[in-house]
Amino acid sequence: MRSYVQGFSLSQEDVDAFRQHSGPPADAQLFHVARWFRHVAVILGSPRAPAPPRGLQSSEGRRTQPPWSPPAGSEPCQLRLYNSLTRRKDVFVPQDGRRVTWYCCGPTVYDASHMGHARSYISFDILRRVLRDYFKFDVFYCMNITDVDDKIIKRARQNYLFERYQEKQPQAVQLLEDVRAALQPFSAKLRETSDPDKRQMLERLERAVRLAAEPLEEPARRGLAGEELDSRVQVLLEEAKDLLSDWLDSTHGSEVSDNSIFSKLPKFWEAEFHKDMEALNVRPPDVLTRVSEYVPEIVDFVQKIVDNGYGYVSNGSVYFDTVKFANSEGHCYGKLVPEAVGDQKALQEGEGDLSVSAERLSEKRSPSDFALWKASKPGEPSWPCPWGKGRPGWHIECSAMAGTLLGASMDLHGGGFDLRFPHHDNELAQSEAYFENDCWVRYFLHTGHLTIAGCKMSKSLKNFITIKDALKKHSARQLRLAFLMHSWKDALDYSANTMESALQYEKLLNEFFLNVKDLLRAPIEVAGQFEKWEDKETELNESFYDKKAAVHEALCDNVDTRTVLEEMRALVGQCNLYMAARKAARKRPNRALLESIARYLTHMLKIFGAIEEESSLGFPVGGPGTSLNLEPTVMPYLQVLSEFREGVRRVAREHRVPEVLQLSDALRDDVLPELGVRFEDHEGLPTVVKLVDRDTLLREREEKKRAEEEKRRKKEEAARKRQEQEAARLAKMKVPPSEMFLSERDKYSKFDENGLPTHDAEGKELSKGQAKKLKKLFEAQEKLHKEYLQLVQNGSIP
């Protein structure tokens, strides 16, 4: 057998001889031999030949790649959410891949939306955006509107009856008579009220009504009429509106039978709620459900619960059997707040003001049972059903609507902290009774309470703040930043301090964005945008990546936006230090690096909903809802104005024309801020041009004026004090030492020939210690007086 290597014929003996060698010759001068050795070894194979050294290259033979191992890397952090069902942070695992089904309890629309609503819906909007835009989940978000409820029914009746009463234009005598009649049950209610805040509110109302009624008493008794009397009638009607409405409802409420009366009120307030949410930049839900539109589904839902053995009919109403459910295998009542089971006060609040009469309570098998369907009484809306005309209970609404859209199990359910019991615990029980499962909700999220300056928000404390009122003081972005600076699940105190922190944070970010924009506007060659990195750039970039990693970890940790904002603040602080150092060295900062950081921060703020419009970098200029992108439109003109102004100032300094410099300063300080433009002059550097909100600039200007005025006042005060001190010192210097103690006759009765005291006021001789102390004072005054005489002699003092 012979082998062939590139035209050479080798016998088996040659091959065996070749394989006896363990490797190529080590002598570097024999590299040709080494090359051929490896070539032959590749073709023939040599089990004893070691792998060729990596440093040698072969132009003709085949080489194999060296072994490769993947890096160890690090364990990626997982998203964990605080789950009220476990009261801990659980790893979030959707049931269907990346798809997330989410149901959120919406408002009961019978009054203006307030900051408590903002607390929940801004917080859930932030969570929803983070899950969708950061973690890239496919979120299907449903929310309900409760437009059938005891509160709505009562308020709608009261409004209708009071409007009808007003239309009759009651005369003074009749109005006074009705007010007196209304005051009787009101006074009884006041006496029974134990809550001090509510009692105080009722007392204020009673006092206001009596004060408004007093000016009408005498004219009404005498039968007088006229515009003045009509005006007083209107005042009393306004002050007594709540009082009369409650009284009219108690006497005539059962007469209201038109269902349209009960739909007018929630339609109005629902529209107002949506306007408020839009103003707060809260994204609308993917699906919105209304109780009034889902009554057939609710009836079917209740019927199945009854068929499954967990509901019972009593006097036309249907109740959920909590005892039967709790004792059934695979079920548990009170999953969220087991310690609250049996809390009758909370249970009755959940049933509603119109559903806690003794008659209704007697219909239940157990005090903990709750209404699935309520038989309608006169003066309440009603729908036909197998049990007679009635209306849905509060808790069943969400179960039926969510179950219809999301099925037997959803990933997320959200609501306010105060809804945990009984509302959400009852939702869980009736839904799991319907679906015969124990997993209707996988993760329950509850937003924290909102307090007003440390107190619970309530009309009785006069700290009830509507969303519209809050937006008159602060922008939607500022409110959102305040919420982002707190954990979504913890209590949040809406106060001046909270909002001041948000304002300062917004200012920090905005100034950074404006500085970066100014840097990027500076003309530069295409190749010039890529600058050599020095140690400072490398350090800042390393910090940038560290901060991004910290932000990711914080978002994985229950969407901890508070920590995220602190990491972003720290990153901006490091960028500011870097820019200041470059400025001090008369060098331009690295454009690409700062732009990358600014765009990242912009991206995160967009995810959080703190940047409303399309903006590639920083906060948009022009305010929300404006179609014009103001910055690129006006900035070229402002840049030309800035350069022209710099040229004028340079000429004015060269020719010493202070009037022109003053006009230039006036343009910067007085004219441009009115237009939302800030010019920042820096010695030896081009003027920085910034577009800033006009109100912000005017506020800054006023603060600057106040600071300058305060500085001037302090300077004048210091000068005045110096003058007073100098005058007092001069007056003291004028006194000869021999006379300095003579005026103190209340302390001393005798003096020596130099004017030094020898005896106290009682004639007792002074001790040696006292005399020594007085002698020192005498000598000091003697020195001062000599200094004074010297000044007079020199003409320094007239």
Side-chain angles (χ1 to χ4, degrees), residues 4-66:
Y4 295 89
V5 180
Q6 290 194 355
F8 291 94
S9 176
L10 299 178
S11 65
Q12 185 62 43
E13 291 79 5
D14 295 329
V15 171
D16 292 340
F18 170 79
R19 284 181 171 163
Q20 288 177 0
H21 295 279
S22 60
D27 190 343
Q29 294 182 351
L30 300 176
F31 67 92
H32 292 294
V33 177
R35 188 183 70 172
W36 278 104
F37 184 93
R38 288 185 175 80
H39 182 63
V40 173
V42 168
I43 294 172
L44 298 179
S46 177
R48 292 187 299 171
R54 295 181 183 179
L56 294 174
Q57 300 293 324
S58 173
S59 59
E60 299 175 24
R62 290 179 299 169
R63 295 193 64 185
T64 58
Q65 289 180 304

Side-chain angles (χ1 to χ4, degrees), residues 185-472:
F186 181 85
S187 298
K189 179 182 176 182
L190 177 59
R191 287 192 296 272
E192 294 169 2
T193 301
S194 57
D195 183 275
D197 295 330
K198 190 174 181 181
R199 184 179 181 84
Q200 189 178 27
M201 180 187 72
L202 295 176
E203 287 173 346
R204 282 200 304 266
L205 175 58
E206 183 184 42
R207 189 161 51 249
V209 170
R210 293 189 186 280
L211 286 172
E214 190 176 322
L216 273 177
E217 297 282 358
E218 182 61 23
R221 187 179 61 81
R222 293 169 57 187
L224 300 178
E227 290 185 6
E228 179 65 25
L229 188 66
D230 291 343
S231 175
R232 293 177 183 180
V233 166
Q234 291 304 314
V235 170
L236 180 56
L237 271 172
E238 186 63 33
E239 293 292 346
K241 180 181 178 181
D242 291 345
L243 184 81
L244 286 170
S245 296
D246 204 29
W247 174 69
L248 289 167
D249 185 55
S250 65
T251 54
H252 301 289
S254 59
E255 302 167 11
V256 180
S257 57
D258 185 357
N259 268 14
S260 65
I261 292 169
F262 302 106
S263 63
K264 179 182 174 183
L265 179 77
K267 280 181 180 177
F268 173 81
W269 286 117
E270 182 192 338
E272 292 300 303
F273 169 77
H274 292 312
K275 291 175 186 175
D276 289 340
M277 293 300 104
E278 184 179 4
L280 290 172
N281 195 34
V282 172
R283 284 177 174 162
D286 296 309
V287 176
L288 183 80
T289 64
R290 299 181 184 89
V291 176
S292 60
E293 297 172 348
Y294 276 77
V295 172
E297 289 85 353
I298 292 171
V299 171
D300 292 343
F301 205 91
V302 172
Q303 184 63 61
K304 186 174 180 182
I305 292 174
V306 173
D307 294 343
N308 288 349
Y310 299 108
Y312 59 91
V313 181
S314 178
N315 200 24
S317 295
V318 184
Y319 293 95
F320 186 82
D321 193 333
T322 55
V323 175
K324 173 77 177 292
F325 179 80
N327 292 331
S328 299
E329 186 178 353
H331 290 309
C332 176
Y333 179 65
K335 284 185 173 182
L336 291 167
V337 196
E339 61 270 25
V341 173
D343 183 344
Q344 290 304 303
K345 183 180 178 182
L347 287 165
Q348 290 182 20
E349 286 177 357
E351 292 294 81
D353 292 343
L354 305 178
S355 309
V356 291
S357 63
E359 180 186 355
R360 282 283 168 92
L361 293 174
S362 67
E363 297 171 355
K364 300 181 181 183
R365 293 177 183 173
S366 166
S368 294
D369 293 352
F370 55 90
L372 299 171
W373 185 265
K374 301 176 182 180
S376 289
K377 295 181 289 186
E380 296 179 0
S382 62
W383 288 265
C385 69
W387 318 287
K389 286 191 172 183
R391 57 189 177 89
W394 177 32
H395 314 299
I396 197 68
E397 301 165 354
C398 291
S399 291
M401 292 185 290
T404 300
L405 290 168
L406 305 179
S409 183
M410 70 183 78
D411 295 305
L412 296 171
H413 191 328
F417 184 82
D418 56 329
L419 295 180
R420 294 180 310 153
F421 184 88
H423 184 53
H424 286 157
D425 265 326
N426 288 352
E427 272 188 39
L428 283 166
Q430 63 200 10
S431 300
E432 292 174 359
Y434 176 92
F435 290 109
E436 285 289 10
N437 65 16
D438 67 344
C439 56
W440 185 57
V441 175
R442 296 294 185 172
Y443 300 84
F444 234 123
L445 313 181
H446 289 100
T447 55
H449 283 302
L450 179 127
T451 57
I452 307 294
C455 300
K456 180 182 177 181
M457 184 174 67
S458 70
K459 290 183 178 178
S460 59
L461 293 175
K462 289 190 172 183
N463 65 355
F464 186 85
I465 300 175
T466 66
I467 291 173
K468 286 183 173 61
D469 288 339
L471 286 171
K472 290 175 184 176

Side-chain angles (χ1 to χ4, degrees), residues 157-182 216 233-234 236-238 240-249 251-252 255-256:
R157 281 195 322 223
Q158 289 176 341
N159 288 356
Y160 169 74
L161 292 170
F162 186 75
E163 287 170 8
R164 196 172 67 172
Y165 182 82
Q166 273 187 309
E167 288 171 0
K168 294 178 181 178
Q169 297 181 346
Q171 298 300 306
V173 174
Q174 183 63 50
L175 178 59
L176 284 169
E177 184 180 332
D178 292 339
V179 167
R180 291 190 198 101
L216 273 177
V233 166
Q234 291 304 314
L236 180 56
L237 271 172
E238 186 63 33
K241 180 181 178 181
D242 291 345
L243 184 81
L244 286 170
S245 296
D246 204 29
W247 174 69
L248 289 167
D249 185 55
T251 54
H252 301 289
E255 302 167 11
V256 180

